[in-house]
Amino acid sequence: MYPPAHFQEHDIKQLHALVKQFSLATILVPDVRNSLNNLCHIPLLFDETRNVFIAHVAKHNPLAQLNTKSVKLLFNGDNCYLSPSYTNNKTLPSWLYSSVQVIANVDIIKSNDEKDKIMRQLTSHFEQGFTPMWTIDDVPKERRKAMYQQLAFIELTPTHWQGNFKLSQNKPLDVRAAIKHNLTLINKHTIAALL
């Protein structure tokens, strides 16, 4: 079984937290010309109340052609090298990481009102912390409509979640405590918090 059971994360709250914190998804898009996938890197906003990811992409992006199809979303959290020096040589060199894979169905949005709603949700979320905060209303309405014609607005509905958190869960508690302590010392607070 891969990943091993001790590295699988099943807590949906943990999985939701990772995709919210690390919003840039790598999306595997089927390529009809060969057996491999195309890759798209797209920031996604997960609307937990509706259980849906929202996004917009250029209308020529391959993802925009997949209405009603399924795609795989990959989210990567923080990661770092694990030195044996962190544990007084009780571990071998390794790499710590957290990731989430989501299978999702694609729905291309046609309604202009829904497109505007998605754009407002995305910008109000990703503009947090900017001063002044930019809003879509800063663009005149007619120009905004023309811009929307160059985009595809997408909702992706998850059908399967899978977490792979390789964080030394198979090590004794004292070793994990030493790893966490040393990660904190090198300012790897995000991954240390997961330990």
Side-chain angles (χ1 to χ4, degrees):
M1 175 188 296
Y2 195 85
H6 52 266
F7 293 144
Q8 294 177 23
E9 179 58 62
H10 300 285
D11 182 346
I12 197 70
K13 289 182 181 176
Q14 281 280 79
L15 304 182
H16 287 181
L18 186 136
V19 302
K20 286 179 180 180
Q21 185 174 8
F22 298 96
S23 301
L24 185 65
T26 300
I27 303 178
L28 302 176
V29 178
D31 185 337
V32 295
R33 296 168 294 180
N34 62 51
S35 61
L36 300 176
N37 293 302
N38 285 320
L39 294 179
C40 301
H41 299 282
I42 300 167
L44 300 178
L45 177 59
F46 183 59
D47 183 341
E48 201 167 351
T49 60
R50 295 182 21 211
N51 189 42
V52 69
F53 291 93
I54 59 172
H56 66 76
V57 297
K59 71 177 182 181
H60 299 294
N61 185 302
L63 186 60
Q65 312 309 314
L66 295 177
N67 196 32
T68 74
K69 305 287 188 210
S70 291
V71 294
K72 184 177 276 190
L73 316 174
L74 306 174
F75 297 89
N76 289 302
D78 198 5
N79 68 86
C80 68
Y81 174 69
L82 173 60
S83 171
S85 67
Y86 291 178
T87 63
N88 288 327
N89 296 316
K90 292 180 182 174
T91 61
L92 292 173
S94 188
W95 205 270
L96 303 178
Y97 60 88
S98 56
S99 67
V100 174
Q101 296 180 31
V102 180
I103 305 296
N105 294 327
V106 177
D107 183 24
I108 305 299
I109 304 304
K110 301 296 185 196
S111 158
N112 288 330
D113 288 341
E114 286 300 308
K115 291 178 183 180
D116 193 61
K117 182 178 174 184
I118 288 173
M119 183 62 83
R120 289 176 187 282
Q121 273 186 273
L122 291 169
T123 55
S124 68
H125 176 77
F126 290 117
E127 283 285 326
Q128 291 176 34
F130 285 88
T131 305
M133 197 168 145
W134 182 86
T135 71
I136 195 64
D137 292 321
D138 292 340
V139 178
K141 190 172 186 176
E142 290 307 309
R143 186 165 167 231
R144 190 167 56 223
K145 281 184 182 178
M147 293 169 93
Y148 287 178
Q149 297 306 310
Q150 301 305 311
L151 301 173
F153 290 81
I154 301 170
E155 290 185 346
L156 299 121
T157 304
T159 59
H160 178 75
W161 292 77
Q162 178 182 335
N164 186 3
F165 286 34
K166 186 178 174 287
L167 302 167
S168 298
Q169 297 96 315
N170 57 332
K171 306 296 181 206
L173 287 176
D174 64 317
V175 172
R176 294 187 74 208
I179 293 169
K180 183 173 186 163
H181 172 75
N182 283 295
L183 289 175
T184 303
L185 292 177
I186 62 165
N187 295 321
K188 290 303 249 175
H189 300 288
T190 304
I191 199 160
L194 291 173
L195 285 158

